[in-house]
């Protein structure tokens, strides 16, 4: 059985899928795109991004049975799993995709029908909705052999993955990252290193493969390079005009989240970086008239990315920085192939959401200065307590310290039912006025 | 016995105790006792929320909202410090708001406890966390006297022993106290020194021994029994809460004893043997087994899940727990409530209907 599945998986990966993609390219009707005058020419790399991610989701249909499959949270140290050849699936990324395709709310409703409160994170509800109904815009999700979670982004993922563990009857590995109320301690680091070492026998058992230290180091090297390149991609937006917008970056984030540690992600970001550097050289901006530069706080409102992108671009306002996109570039420089376990512990536990709010405030101040930001849009995401609690104070303090105007949009990441068009419009109109004052 | 505020005031003035405001839920109280600190827990202060909404979104639970309100109304000014155990994302961020953004003058401490599934590394970590907390506290409070710690660990075990006796009697239907009285006494441990709590518990045990009334028994799960009207309503309906799975009651009061000689070892051993809890990421199966054992021991007819609105840790587990319980013929009732708000007529009707069903 394993042999057949494996053959099928490799056939699709190496022959079937490339052929299918070529075919779909050829048959795609080439309708002339209506170009919005507010925007610069579209990024060519976006086509490549679609290919990379389509391939990833398409292959997931063939992964179960052919490769050990792990469902992984966005902040978990996936590098360790890659060393065992796991096919990794990211429910959060899939949740964002469902949100962007505007099917998030109906999947949430499936979970709510099974008793999951509407007050829970919508990524979790979407994922549970998919588990209960089997419905997903990507066709089919691979059944997990293992669940791998880290609470460095929230405790929610652990509650959610416990539900999955009970549902799928598979083991759950938790990478427990103590919250940095103050500075990280040696005790915290030893604890995390100890956990990583304790995971190895479990991973060997689930994957049927022996741990290969050399391979692990290789993965770490590729992951670090990809994250650094992602950091450079974001840094191109320091240019005026910025060659892309944060709304583009929300999309281009997918490989660093879902394919971190694989060469495909690194290669992709090299291509993207070249294109952006070229645009900077030529002075091509993401929007044609970049009058104001903004920063975004929190996860995207996936079902509104396009609308918001248009709304701001029409006013000559471009988002050039975000705490969210920055999260996958911020700490990866800690990775060190000579001290893989310690460095993984630091890189993953020092991420924005696992740090105290002073750290976040300082980070935002730095981004505002480096990216020459004129205003801030704060998404208070109903789904996400750790990202959202503290934002009202951040808003106040940034105004006091830097005089940066800001607005809070009360919304959600993927459940459009809680989005109020009217309230958002009113708040944004007031913000636009303040920006022009 | 004196009221909460008077008692706390007296402990400070007459016994020279330092007062620490403690946010939910699990923390090594013995260490504080040993350092002459009276831990005063902040769960559900009876306040009207006026200022906290400027800092917290509407979708945050009322435990966090009321705790912050207490600080913002200046009612914590007599305190000498705060301790925030790492209970959930909301408490985690609250700790940082209080410490980093509000500029409170009292020192703020944070206590991270390892999450389940526990490994060897978890035990090593917890033990060092206890010692780390001590060294941070020593900077403010002076050195810890190790014999005091030993004494307080012993006293903690005595408290837990009497609490366990009370729970055992309740399970067996041999405690005639009402639901309201039982929880009123048990919850006094949230601010009493063990020197006073222990005799109070013993006195209550002696006085309340006796046959419970014959109505149906239920288990209550959730965070805390507030609003208290739920307890009185159940009393009126002749329903006995025979056991609970409440975060601020059995999940942290039924501390299993340890024989370890070293007090830090003893605290560590007890911690890892505590009942399963959402805030420690215990698995759904552990929680199902724990609830089923409680149902079986007490012959309970149902489980009431009494949720604090917006409490993610609890809400995530509920559908699978209720599913597993129902499969085994145990009735369940889910109630979502805000703290300190009277029971609505609609809610009371749901409780009554549930009681009718299990009677
Ligand atoms: S949206 Fe927030 S709460 Fe939900 S999984 Fe992501 S970090 Fe966790
Ligand atoms: S009620 Fe729930 S969400 Fe609120 S503080 Fe307690 S554990 Fe956290």
């Amino acid at each position: 059985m394993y042999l057949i599945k494996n053959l099928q998986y490799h056939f699709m990966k190496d022959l079937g899928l490339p052929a299918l993609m070529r075919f779909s390219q050829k048959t795609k009707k080439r309708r002339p795109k209506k170009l919005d005058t507010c925007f610069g020419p579209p990024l060519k790399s976006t086509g490549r991004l679609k290919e990379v991610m389509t391939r990833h989701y398409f292959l997931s249909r063939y992964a179960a049975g052919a490769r050990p499959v792990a469902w992984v949270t966005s902040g978990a140290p996936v590098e360790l799993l890659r060393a065992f050849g796991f096919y990794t699936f990211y429910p959060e990324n899939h949740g964002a995709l469902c949100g962007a395709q505007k099917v998030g709310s109906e999947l949430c409703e499936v979970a709510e029908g099974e008793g999951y409160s509407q007050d829970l994170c919508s990524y979790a509800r979407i994922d549970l909705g998919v588990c209960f109904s089997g419905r997903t815009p990507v066709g089919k999700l691979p059944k997990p052999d293992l669940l791998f979670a880290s609470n460095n982004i929230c405790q929610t993922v652990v509650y959610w993955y416990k539900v999955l563990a009970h549902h799928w009857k598979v083991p759950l590995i938790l990478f427990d990252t103590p919250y940095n109320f103050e500075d990280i301690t040696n005790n915290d680091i030893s604890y995390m290193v100890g956990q990583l070492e304790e995971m190895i026998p479990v991973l060997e058992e689930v994957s049927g493969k022996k741990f290969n230290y050399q391979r692990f180091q290789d993965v770490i090297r590729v992951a670090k390079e990809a994250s650094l390149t992602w950091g450079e991609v974001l840094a191109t937006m320091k240019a005026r005009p910025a060659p892309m917008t944060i709304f583009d970056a929300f999309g281009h984030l997918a490989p660093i989240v879902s394919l971190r540690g694989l060469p495909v992600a690194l290669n992709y970001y090299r291509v993207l970086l070249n294109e952006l550097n070229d645009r900077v050289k030529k002075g091509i901006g993401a929007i044609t008239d970049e009058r104001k530069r903004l920063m975004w706080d929190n996860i995207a409102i996936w079902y509104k990315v396009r609308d918001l992108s248009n709304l701001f671009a029409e006013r000559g306002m471009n988002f050039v920085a975000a705490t969210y996109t920055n999260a996958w570039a911020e700490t990866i420089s800690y990775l060190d192939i000579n001290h893989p376990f310690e460095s993984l512990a630091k890189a993953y536990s020092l991420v924005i959401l696992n740090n105290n709010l002073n750290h976040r405030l300082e980070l935002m101040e730095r981004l505002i200065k480096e990216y020459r930001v004129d205003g801030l849009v704060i998404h208070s995401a109903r789904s996400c307590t750790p990202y959202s609690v503290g934002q009202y104070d951040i808003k106040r303090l940034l105004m006091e310290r830097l005089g940066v105007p800001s607005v809070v949009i009360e919304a959600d990441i993927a459940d459009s039912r809680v989005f109020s068009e009217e309230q958002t419009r009113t708040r944004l109109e007031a913000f636009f006025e303040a920006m022009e004052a | 016995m004196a009221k909460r505020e008077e008692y706390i005031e007296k402990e400070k003035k007459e016994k020279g105790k330092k007062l620490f405001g403690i946010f939910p839920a699990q923390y090594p109280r013995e260490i504080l006792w040993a350092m002459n600190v009276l831990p005063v827990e902040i769960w559900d202060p009876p306040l009207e929320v006026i200022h906290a909404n400027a800092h917290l979104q509407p979708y945050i639970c009322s435990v966090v909202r009321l705790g912050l309100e207490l600080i913002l109304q200046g009612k914590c000014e007599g305190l000498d410090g705060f301790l925030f155990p790492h209970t959930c994302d909301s408490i985690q961020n609250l700790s940082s708001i209080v410490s980093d953004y509000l500029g409170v003058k009292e020192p703020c401490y944070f206590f991270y406890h390892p999450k389940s599934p526990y490994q060897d590394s978890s035990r090593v970590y917890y033990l060092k966390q206890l010692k780390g907390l001590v060294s941070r506290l020593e900077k403010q409070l002076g050195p810890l006297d190790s014999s005091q710690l030993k004494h307080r660990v012993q006293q903690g075990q005595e408290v837990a022993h009497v609490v366990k006796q009370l729970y055992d009697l309740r399970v067996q239907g041999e405690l005639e106290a009402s639901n309201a009285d039982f929880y009123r006494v048990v919850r006094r441990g949230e601010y009493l020194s063990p020197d006073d709590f222990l005799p109070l518990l013993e006195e209550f045990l002696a006085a309340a021994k006796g046959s419970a009334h014959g109505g149906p028994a239920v288990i209550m799960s959730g965070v805390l029994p507030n609003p208290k009207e739920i307890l009185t309503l159940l009393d009126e309906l002749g329903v006995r809460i025979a056991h609970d799975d409440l975060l601020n009651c059995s999940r942290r009061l039924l501390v299993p004893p340890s024989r370890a000689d070293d007090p830090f070892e003893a605290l560590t051993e007890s911690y890892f043997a505590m009942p399963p809890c959402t805030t420690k990421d215990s698995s759904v199966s552990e929680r199902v087994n724990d609830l089923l054992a409680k149902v079986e021991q007490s012959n309970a007819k149902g489980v009431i899940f009494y949720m604090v609105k917006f409490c993610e840790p609890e809400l995530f587990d509920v559908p699978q727990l209720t599913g597993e319980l129902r499969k085994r013929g145990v009735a369940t009732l889910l109630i979502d409530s805000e703290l300190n708000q009277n029971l609505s007529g609609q809610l009371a009707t749901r409780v009554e209907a549930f009681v009718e069903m299990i009677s």
Side-chain angles (χ1 to χ4, degrees):
Chain A
M1 188 63 183
Y2 164 75
L3 200 67
I4 299 172
K5 292 264 180 196
N6 204 17
L7 278 172
Q8 211 177 20
Y9 175 81
H10 283 284
F11 172 79
M12 287 316 292
K13 178 169 167 273
D14 302 329
L15 298 169
L17 185 57
L20 264 175
M21 288 182 99
R22 276 196 304 275
F23 179 72
S24 102
Q25 282 295 329
K26 275 194 191 148
T27 52
K28 208 188 269 173
K29 281 192 193 125
R30 299 217 175 265
R31 258 188 251 132
K33 267 200 185 152
K34 210 180 105 203
L35 282 183
D36 203 313
T37 47
C38 311
F39 292 99
L43 285 167
K44 292 192 200 87
S45 308
T46 307
R48 172 89 186 111
L49 172 73
K50 276 191 189 138
E51 265 174 51
V52 169
M53 293 314 293
T54 307
R55 186 184 143 92
H56 171 62
Y57 278 111
F58 186 81
L59 278 180
S60 73
R61 301 179 196 180
Y62 298 91
R67 286 177 60 184
V69 174
W71 287 19
V72 186
T73 64
S74 63
V78 69
E79 291 77 1
L80 188 60
L81 265 61
R82 299 246 183 264
F84 293 90
F86 275 88
Y87 180 91
T88 55
F89 170 74
Y90 280 79
E92 289 156 74
N93 182 254
H94 177 255
L97 186 147
C98 293
Q101 297 200 8
K102 306 197 175 163
V103 294
S105 304
E106 64 184 70
L107 288 165
C108 285
E109 277 169 13
V110 176
E112 289 155 23
E114 296 290 322
Y116 291 88
S117 162
Q118 203 178 336
D119 297 326
L120 302 175
C121 165
S122 55
Y123 281 170
R125 276 179 291 139
I126 288 174
D127 189 43
L128 296 173
V130 174
C131 292
F132 299 139
S133 67
R135 296 205 308 259
T136 154
V138 302
K140 191 178 158 211
L141 302 188
K143 182 187 170 304
D145 301 302
L146 177 81
L147 299 160
F148 186 37
S150 175
N151 52 0
N152 57 350
I153 51 168
C154 60
Q155 306 309 309
T156 308
V157 285
V158 194
Y159 314 143
W160 162 13
Y161 275 50
K162 281 193 320 180
V163 177
L164 292 177
H166 196 71
H167 175 82
W168 291 113
K169 310 273 176 272
V170 292
L172 162 61
I173 295 185
L174 169 66
F175 182 52
D176 181 20
T177 52
Y179 177 67
N180 299 306
F181 180 73
E182 289 167 310
D183 289 340
I184 192 165
T185 64
N186 287 337
N187 189 28
D188 295 334
I189 295 175
S190 330
Y191 171 45
M192 289 183 275
V193 169
Q195 291 178 67
L196 291 169
E197 288 168 352
E198 283 159 348
M199 287 171 200
I200 291 175
V202 186
L203 295 173
E204 286 183 332
E205 198 187 318
V206 179
S207 70
K209 281 200 182 117
K210 277 267 155 231
F211 178 54
N212 180 331
Y213 190 77
Q214 169 93 49
R215 183 146 187 240
F216 179 42
Q217 285 181 309
D218 288 344
V219 174
I220 295 235
R221 189 176 38 74
V222 174
K224 180 172 180 170
E225 259 184 79
S227 288
L228 291 175
T229 315
W230 171 244
E232 288 180 62
V233 162
L234 296 178
T236 61
M237 284 188 281
K238 286 182 187 171
R240 202 187 269 269
M244 74 169 174
T245 88
I246 278 299
F247 294 121
D248 297 321
F250 286 155
H252 294 283
L253 186 69
I256 198 65
V257 176
S258 302
L259 302 166
R260 198 166 62 251
L262 295 176
V264 63
L266 174 58
N267 295 339
Y268 173 68
Y269 288 122
R270 283 181 176 153
V271 172
L272 176 62
L273 181 61
N274 280 340
E275 186 184 357
L276 292 169
N277 279 336
D278 189 51
R279 282 168 77 118
V280 171
K281 242 187 264 158
K282 293 177 180 151
I284 302 173
I287 65 170
T288 43
D289 176 26
E290 184 187 287
R291 293 186 311 109
K292 300 279 179 190
R293 295 161 63 84
L294 304 178
M295 180 158 86
W296 179 272
D297 184 48
N298 212 325
I299 301 169
I301 305 174
W302 292 110
Y303 47 89
K304 281 283 162 194
V305 167
R306 185 180 291 265
D307 293 352
L308 289 173
S309 168
N310 290 337
L311 187 71
F312 283 91
E314 277 165 14
R315 286 162 176 80
M317 294 183 186
N318 189 20
F319 283 88
V320 296
T323 51
Y324 176 51
T325 46
N326 187 62
W328 280 267
E330 198 194 346
T331 59
I332 289 294
S333 54
Y334 284 110
L335 284 187
D336 176 357
I337 56 165
N338 298 315
H339 304 281
F341 291 110
E342 288 81 356
S343 67
L344 271 185
K346 279 194 193 156
Y348 280 92
S349 67
L350 287 169
V351 293
I352 179 168
L353 292 182
N354 204 42
N355 269 315
N356 59 53
L357 293 171
N358 247 346
H359 167 274
R360 193 177 317 173
L361 190 63
E362 280 162 19
L363 170 78
M364 290 172 86
E365 282 188 76
R366 183 167 60 73
L367 291 176
I368 287 171
K369 286 179 191 154
E370 282 180 8
Y371 286 77
R372 292 175 287 169
V373 165
D374 307 302
L376 171 67
V377 175
I378 297 172
H379 168 206
S380 158
R382 199 184 167 88
S383 275
C384 193
T385 306
Y387 220 145
S388 304
V389 175
Q391 283 177 318
Y392 293 176
D393 286 280
I394 288 176
K395 175 177 164 52
R396 172 179 57 85
L397 289 163
L398 283 175
M399 188 62 189
E400 277 170 25
R401 291 186 187 184
L402 301 177
V404 175
S406 55
V407 61
V408 176
I409 306 179
E410 302 285 349
D412 186 54
I413 52 178
D415 184 354
S416 57
R417 289 171 298 171
V418 300
F419 186 83
S420 157
E421 200 75 55
E422 208 179 293
Q423 192 205 56
T424 310
R425 279 270 166 182
T426 317
R427 289 200 181 177
L428 286 179
E429 287 306 335
F431 175 67
F432 294 143
E433 262 175 44
M435 289 295 294
E436 301 298 350
Chain B
M1 183 164 282
K3 283 219 168 92
R4 180 172 163 128
E5 289 76 19
E6 288 163 19
Y7 175 85
I8 294 167
E9 190 70 14
K10 224 165 140 197
E11 287 286 295
K12 184 168 178 127
K13 286 218 174 103
E14 290 175 13
K15 301 203 181 140
K17 295 238 172 95
K18 297 276 183 211
L19 304 178
F20 269 38
I22 316 281
F23 278 81
Q26 317 250 6
Y27 65 100
R29 54 194 180 155
E30 294 81 353
I31 288 180
L32 295 170
W33 294 340
M35 297 181 93
N36 201 33
V37 172
L38 181 73
V40 180
E41 298 178 7
I42 303 171
W43 286 87
D44 51 351
L47 298 172
E48 193 193 330
V49 177
I50 305 163
H51 309 294
N53 295 342
H55 301 266
L56 297 171
Q57 280 89 342
Y59 44 86
I60 301 305
C61 77
S62 43
V63 169
V64 165
R65 195 173 300 281
L66 286 167
L68 180 61
E69 186 66 32
L70 192 78
I71 297 177
L72 295 171
Q73 287 193 16
K75 294 189 189 295
C76 291
E77 269 157 22
L79 297 183
D80 301 285
F82 290 100
L83 175 68
F84 296 88
H86 186 265
T87 300
C88 60
D89 288 323
S90 303
I91 294 270
Q92 170 189 295
N93 280 30
L94 174 72
S95 70
S96 195
I97 292 183
V98 173
S99 165
D100 298 329
Y101 291 167
L102 295 185
V104 294
K105 54 183 192 316
E106 299 80 16
C108 295
Y109 299 90
F110 191 78
F111 185 70
Y112 194 87
H113 45 78
K115 305 295 186 282
S116 156
Y118 301 128
Q119 312 280 338
D120 292 345
S121 56
S122 323
R123 283 159 221 281
V124 176
Y125 181 68
Y126 187 74
L127 193 119
K128 287 192 184 159
Q129 279 296 91
L130 294 177
K131 294 187 174 169
L133 178 66
V134 169
S135 20
R136 279 178 284 140
L137 288 169
E138 280 179 330
K139 290 192 187 124
Q140 181 190 355
L141 305 165
L144 167 75
D145 174 345
S146 54
S147 61
Q148 257 302 314
L149 181 60
K150 222 167 168 175
H151 162 63
R152 293 304 192 178
V153 168
Q154 175 62 35
Q155 201 175 26
Q157 296 198 358
E158 283 163 27
V159 169
H161 177 69
V162 187
V163 171
K164 178 155 186 330
Q165 281 180 291
L166 281 170
Y167 268 88
D168 286 348
L169 288 174
R170 242 185 130 64
V171 163
Q172 291 147 16
E174 288 168 16
L175 200 75
E176 55 182 8
S178 66
N179 299 314
D181 282 346
F182 179 78
Y183 286 101
R184 191 172 52 240
V185 171
V186 165
R187 290 199 61 192
R188 293 186 90 160
E190 289 166 25
Y191 66 92
L192 287 183
S193 145
D195 302 337
D196 298 316
F197 190 40
L198 195 53
L200 173 77
L201 287 173
E202 278 162 348
E203 198 182 302
F204 180 63
L205 178 70
K209 256 188 201 166
S211 252
H213 57 69
V218 294
I219 310 289
M220 186 178 270
S221 177
V223 174
L224 72 167
N226 177 313
K228 294 185 195 99
E229 286 71 18
I230 183 77
L231 303 177
T232 351
L233 176 63
L234 290 173
D235 280 328
E236 282 162 15
L237 295 170
V239 176
R240 178 170 53 96
I241 302 176
H243 208 319
D244 72 59
D245 166 49
L246 293 168
L247 173 61
N248 92 329
C249 296
S250 80
R251 281 193 220 163
R252 50 184 213 121
L253 298 179
L254 292 178
V255 189
S258 157
R259 294 231 175 95
D261 199 38
D262 176 78
F264 289 105
E265 294 280 358
L267 289 176
T268 305
E269 204 184 303
S270 294
Y271 174 79
F272 286 101
M274 300 270 274
C277 180
T278 50
T279 70
K280 293 192 271 177
D281 293 343
S282 305
S283 69
V284 174
S285 330
E286 280 175 276
R287 295 205 59 216
V288 170
N289 293 342
D290 182 67
L291 279 170
L292 285 174
K294 284 175 175 158
V295 167
E296 201 173 310
Q297 285 159 19
S298 61
N299 203 15
K301 297 284 175 279
V303 177
I304 299 179
F305 290 92
Y306 196 56
M307 300 289 108
V308 172
K309 193 154 173 48
F310 303 117
C311 175
E312 270 210 336
E314 293 296 309
L315 285 169
F316 259 106
D317 275 7
V318 166
Q320 285 179 332
L321 293 181
T322 49
E324 296 285 344
L325 290 167
R326 284 196 203 134
K327 262 193 234 161
R328 291 160 175 91
V330 181
T332 60
L333 173 68
L334 173 65
I335 301 176
D336 216 2
S337 80
E338 292 275 4
L339 298 181
N340 299 343
Q341 282 188 4
N342 287 338
L343 277 191
S344 67
Q346 197 195 17
L347 228 144
T349 313
R350 284 183 58 214
V351 175
E352 281 159 14
F354 177 74
V355 171
E356 227 168 75
M357 190 178 81
I358 59 170
S359 296

